[in-house]
Amino acid sequence: MTRAVCPGSFDPVTHGHLDIIARTARLAEEVVVAVGDNLTKNGLFTPPERVAMLEAACAPWSNVSVTLFTGLLVDFCAAHDIGLISKGVRAADFNYEVQMAQMNRRLTGVETILLPTDPQWAFLSSSLVREVATLGGDVSGFLPPAVAEQTAARVSAQLVED
Ligand code: PNS
């Protein structure tokens, strides 16, 4: 059975991420979406909140599950019998994504497939979504409706705190 992982920060999950997850769910029998829990970035959402949003967004796909992971991605793959890493790649990310794929393969032999981002989402990233939302822009076109609502609520709450 082909088990694949779609790893990432997903802060928050965007339509670009969901396109990659959906495409991976057609290529692999089982897909685990793995939210990195040991990243040093200042998050808009906590990792458990990201998992909850992803679980709701991925509910239509019966072969997709969502979990947190800590430590090395290759160790997570080995522990969960996952032989394939699937990632979306924008032109600007290509060199770094290839470098990580080569490092991961050297570490344990796990293979990576890099799926070119759908052109309609080529400009999209979670970090830009956070910036636009924080500065009052409309990000509802880039996120599932529930995620857009939670993002608007979170940035308003942060503005009140500051
Ligand atoms: O959405 P992101 O921020 O691009 O996701 C990056 C992520 C979580 C996939 C990457 O940082 C990762 O794999 N982190 C786990 C630690 C690890 O294995 N590092 C070595 C990479 S070669």
Side-chain angles (χ1 to χ4, degrees), residues 7-9 39 41 69 71-73 87 100 103-104:
S9 305
L39 307 170
K41 297 174 185 175
F69 82 101
L72 282 177
L73 180 60
K87 298 182 85 174
M100 284 198 285
M103 173 60 85
N104 285 330

Side-chain angles (χ1 to χ4, degrees), residues 5-63:
V5 63
C6 289
S9 305
F10 304 106
D11 187 33
V13 59
T14 68
H15 286 315
H17 293 128
L18 292 173
D19 174 63
I20 296 300
I21 294 166
R23 287 159 64 189
T24 305
R26 290 195 288 271
L27 295 170
E29 285 158 273
E30 257 185 55
V31 179
V32 179
V33 179
V35 179
D37 194 13
N38 58 345
L39 307 170
T40 53
K41 297 174 185 175
N42 284 332
L44 184 61
F45 294 103
T46 66
E49 287 173 329
R50 301 175 207 175
V51 168
M53 287 189 279
L54 274 158
E55 280 175 338
C58 295
W61 302 302
S62 59
N63 61 337

